[in-house]
Amino acid sequence: PDNTIVGSLAVRYANQPAIRALIKLIPGGSSADGLLQYRADQIKQERLRAFFDALASGKVVLTEDLVRSDEFLHCFFKTTEAVTKTRRKEKIELFAHMLSAALNTQIFSELDQYEELLDALDSMSFREFAVLRLLRDYEVRYAERAFEDDVARIQAYWTDFRSGACVMFSLEVAEFDPFMERIQRTGFYTRNTG
């Protein structure tokens, strides 16, 4: 950010030390309060450690050639940027698994595809992702059973899925449908109405 913007914000909030300390954390915002900067650095380090631990436990061998490639570095920097803004360790691990899967299977033919998937995952809460994972479990369990059509298949498990999701993820039954509608924004879920 422009130092004049940061400076004007610091002046505006001169009587609010906590806000001023946060403003100083903005890159280019001058040296931050030592204790606050230490804690911010510590949080970032913990998040990156969780990411690298998950990446190291994957099946992908990171060769020197791979690490030097522009494509890998682009995906790596975009992913670590998302990691440092994520609070949940489980979601950080999802980012690591996504990067590993992209490298391991070559499923992304273009960098745009990786960025789009990364942005979609980044926009989701961990709870939203966990509900989708539960839905997938139900879909897999009912995939081999014979039904008249997909709508009948979904109706066979939907009530149990909804009840389980509400209990497991602290959702009120009245909140469930709007919750699922919000997930549709990601493209990972589309309601099948027949």
Side-chain angles (χ1 to χ4, degrees):
D2 185 344
N3 280 335
T4 58
I5 294 171
V6 172
S8 64
L9 287 172
V11 169
R12 178 182 177 103
Y13 298 105
N15 295 330
Q16 297 181 14
I19 299 295
R20 285 187 49 215
L22 290 174
I23 290 168
K24 291 177 182 180
L25 289 176
I26 298 170
S30 78
S31 62
D33 172 79
L35 184 58
L36 187 57
Q37 183 63 51
Y38 173 77
R39 183 62 188 135
D41 291 344
Q42 191 177 37
I43 289 169
K44 187 176 182 180
Q45 181 180 16
E46 290 166 3
R47 291 173 181 178
L48 288 170
R49 184 181 309 121
F51 173 72
F52 285 116
D53 286 349
L55 195 59
S57 69
K59 298 174 184 171
V60 176
V61 177
L62 298 176
T63 65
E64 286 187 36
D65 288 340
L66 177 64
V67 171
R68 287 184 190 145
S69 75
D70 289 346
E71 292 82 7
F72 171 80
L73 289 174
H74 177 77
C75 293
F76 173 77
F77 289 131
K78 294 293 281 184
T79 306
T80 55
E81 181 181 322
V83 163
T84 58
K85 296 185 293 183
T86 300
R87 181 181 63 86
R88 296 286 303 251
K89 181 180 178 191
E90 299 90 345
K91 191 170 176 184
I92 292 169
E93 291 169 351
L94 288 174
F95 286 128
H97 294 304
M98 190 179 104
L99 182 61
S100 292
L103 300 172
N104 195 31
T105 61
Q106 300 294 320
I107 57 175
F108 304 107
S109 60
E110 295 182 23
L111 292 179
D112 288 343
Q113 290 175 303
Y114 185 83
E115 285 186 36
E116 290 161 3
L117 185 56
L118 180 67
D119 289 344
L121 181 57
D122 193 26
S123 74
M124 294 178 71
S125 70
F126 183 75
R127 182 169 77 158
E128 289 172 328
F129 188 83
V131 167
L132 286 180
R133 189 180 302 174
L134 179 64
L135 175 59
R136 184 176 185 287
D137 291 345
Y138 275 92
E139 290 171 345
V140 168
R141 272 188 261 156
Y142 282 76
E144 299 301 319
R145 298 183 190 179
F147 290 94
E148 186 177 309
D149 56 27
D150 286 339
V151 174
R153 179 185 324 278
I154 293 166
Q155 288 174 340
Y157 64 76
W158 193 260
T159 301
D160 288 341
F161 160 65
R162 180 179 56 221
S163 298
C166 288
V167 169
M168 291 172 68
F169 304 107
S170 303
L171 286 166
E172 296 294 326
V173 174
E175 296 174 348
F176 183 77
D177 287 340
F179 181 86
M180 294 303 292
E181 288 174 19
R182 286 191 305 272
I183 293 177
Q184 288 186 68
R185 80 188 182 286
T186 65
F188 293 137
Y189 165 75
T190 302
R191 187 173 179 191
N192 187 340
T193 58

